[in-house]
Amino acid sequence: MTRKVSILGSTGSIGCSTVGLIERKPDTFDVVALTGGRNVTRLAKQARALGAEIAVTAFDDCLEPLRDALSGTGIEVAAGEMALCEAAGRPADWVMSAIVGAAGLPPGLKALEQGTTLALANKESLVTAGSLLKSTAAGSGARILPVDSEHSAVFQGLVGEDIETVERVIITASGGAFRDWPMEKLASATLAEASSHPNWDMGKRITIDSASMFNKALEIIETHEFFNIDPDKIEVILHPESLIHALVGFCDGALMAHVGPHDMRHAIGYALNWPERDHLPVERLNLAEIGQFTFHEPDDERYPALAQARWVMEEGGLAGAVFNAAKERALDGFIEERIGFLDMAAVVADVIEIMSGEGLGLAAITLDSVQQADETARMRAGESILRRQR
Ligand code: NDP
């Protein structure tokens, strides 16, 4: 029997890897919806290759080029946020959530409402609206599977275990592009320098977030939300080789480590094949050649985002939405070369300082309240960028 699948964000780094895995088994999958943003050429090519039912671009001005590229194929085309949500809500057995940023939340929720299995790469959804995502899944009988490599590793480490016996979860961080740079050089780090990751080949935004450790900050919160693990049981360790993705520590002192190549097709494939395992076209590690794994304590002064993640977990409620939106806006400011690399954390700190007295922790989490908090935080971050602009 074939499985119906959809890929939200199919034109991105995670999306393309997912398409690649699905293309290997054309008799196993029926593709319902593919969605993208501005890369219409790639979206149309994927939709043709996979025989998708519908292709949707997030942007209205991309509709005509998409329609032209798919004319005569019988594949439906649509554009805009409502169309993305409609496509995400079409019945499917498995949906990949791989849109970048808070824009992934509404379609992710729509997919969960139809009771599907949601493979979650879009960590921003859990950070901004974890309780809403989980209650929506519980209400429809949907399941959320992790795709982030660290969270897939923890998930795999927990198979057959009692969560009550978990003492600690350790997620690893490569340290990103600037891990060996002296602190005083960081202020002048350029966009090009921040956009190159030492180990992983990923989308531009997550690559820069890896250099600043905002990505790891999101992942700490994601760990807390996904596994309901107390914040004080979550640790981060620098592991420059990026081969151990996470470790789970149990009450008997055992540490279960997940080891694998830096290739997202492993975590994507695990979520695609779950609860089975299937052959995946990823490198088999030669441990003798690798020789050693190294670890270092992260330096809080170098990575202020890590302490900001702790604030989010302590505050709860809408703090995640505020933190993520401020971070996304600060990242836009850095990409537009209006602020420097270190200013990103300073902008987020400004927003936290202004908004932390606003009862964020007590607010109910609904799509509306999350989007409102997101909008306000982006506005505050924009003001901070103006003050700090070069
Ligand atoms: P990319 O930037 O490579 O791809 C993002 C996707 O989202 C593209 O399909 C893009 O379309 C689409 N998109 C962009 N803006 C919008 C919008 N406003 N509305 C709807 N769709 C939009 O990102 P990644 O694949 O790197 O990351 C995707 C998610 O997965 C992120 O949440 C990231 O944190 C997470 N993740 C990524 C990993 C990786 O290795 N890349 C690892 C673990 C998690 P287009 O390109 O056509 O404009």
Side-chain angles (χ1 to χ4, degrees):
M1 222 179 61
T2 55
R3 287 168 70 202
K4 286 175 169 255
V5 299
S6 291
I7 308 172
L8 313 176
S10 66
T11 51
S13 164
I14 292 287
C16 287
S17 295
T18 311
V19 167
L21 290 178
I22 284 171
E23 266 178 334
R24 294 170 73 232
K25 302 220 159 174
D27 298 335
T28 310
F29 302 107
D30 273 337
V31 176
V32 180
L34 296 180
T35 84
R38 302 219 162 267
N39 197 339
V40 169
T41 310
R42 182 176 288 167
L43 180 60
K45 195 169 161 217
Q46 291 175 333
R48 279 174 188 269
L50 295 176
E53 188 179 299
I54 182 168
V56 185
T57 161
F59 305 107
D60 290 338
D61 58 318
C62 293
L63 180 59
E64 277 321 301
L66 181 62
R67 202 190 297 285
D68 290 348
L70 287 174
S71 77
T73 61
I75 298 170
E76 283 176 68
V77 294
E81 192 184 312
M82 297 247 292
L84 276 187
C85 288
E86 190 277 327
R90 291 193 180 195
D93 302 301
W94 189 89
V95 178
M96 165 56 77
S97 166
I99 290 171
V100 65
L105 176 61
L109 281 172
K110 280 289 166 212
L112 286 174
E113 280 170 15
Q114 51 127 330
T116 190
T117 293
L118 188 74
L120 190 74
N122 179 258
K123 62 193 90 183
E124 297 89 343
S125 327
L126 264 183
V127 170
T128 56
S131 61
L132 178 61
L133 224 63
K134 289 183 280 186
S135 63
T136 306
S140 68
R143 179 180 288 280
I144 308 174
L145 295 175
V147 171
D148 232 341
S149 57
E150 296 77 2
H151 305 78
S152 176
V154 174
F155 190 75
Q156 294 180 52
L158 287 173
V159 171
E161 305 288 353
D162 176 355
I163 192 82
E164 295 300 321
T165 64
V166 173
E167 250 178 21
R168 58 206 282 232
V169 167
I170 308 171
I171 57 174
T172 59
S174 69
F178 304 137
R179 65 185 178 207
D180 301 321
W181 281 37
M183 273 296 279
E184 55 280 8
K185 224 180 127 191
L186 287 182
S188 58
T190 66
L191 177 59
E193 288 163 338
S195 305
S196 140
H197 196 282
N199 300 335
W200 296 88
D201 181 15
M202 308 185 286
K204 182 178 186 169
R205 296 182 75 88
I206 187 175
T207 301
I208 301 170
D209 280 350
S210 295
S212 60
M213 284 273 209
F214 271 115
N215 181 49
K216 207 50 56 183
L218 296 179
E219 288 177 4
I220 297 174
I221 306 165
E222 186 185 5
T223 306
H224 169 56
E225 290 290 344
F226 200 100
F227 301 103
N228 292 321
I229 302 253
D230 289 346
D232 58 3
K233 290 184 175 175
I234 304 169
E235 302 169 27
V236 173
I237 190 114
L238 289 183
H239 168 49
E241 294 87 4
S242 296
L243 294 172
I244 297 180
H245 305 303
L247 305 97
V248 184
F250 294 93
C251 58
D252 59 357
L255 272 178
M256 302 285 281
H258 181 281
V259 186
H262 354 100
D263 186 335
M264 284 307 296
R265 288 176 302 175
H266 173 76
I268 297 167
Y270 185 79
L272 185 62
N273 297 314
W274 184 90
E276 315 287 332
R277 283 190 188 266
D278 198 358
H279 294 276
L280 291 172
V282 300
E283 182 196 347
R284 271 48 176 173
L285 294 180
N286 180 329
L287 294 177
E289 249 173 37
I290 292 162
Q292 63 176 14
F293 294 142
T294 52
F295 304 99
H296 316 276
E297 201 71 52
D299 171 356
D300 285 351
E301 201 194 333
R302 178 183 280 262
Y303 303 118
L306 299 181
Q308 292 171 346
R310 302 274 167 200
W311 169 80
V312 170
M313 292 186 292
E314 209 171 289
E315 188 79 10
L318 292 170
V322 165
F323 172 67
N324 180 67
K327 187 281 298 175
E328 286 191 21
R329 187 69 194 84
L331 178 57
D332 292 340
F334 179 66
I335 290 174
E336 291 155 9
E337 301 187 310
R338 293 172 61 197
I339 55 171
F341 181 75
L342 294 178
D343 290 327
M344 285 191 284
V347 166
V348 176
D350 285 348
V351 177
I352 289 176
E353 195 185 330
I354 295 166
M355 294 187 70
S356 61
E358 297 179 9
L360 297 173
L362 303 172
I365 309 282
T366 63
L367 185 55
D368 273 356
S369 69
V370 167
Q371 287 181 328
Q372 245 169 43
D374 177 289
E375 206 176 298
T376 311
R378 276 175 211 265
M379 204 167 69
R380 299 278 175 257
E383 290 159 4
S384 167
I385 289 170
L386 270 180
R387 288 196 299 275
R388 294 175 180 279
Q389 197 156 336
R390 296 163 154 196

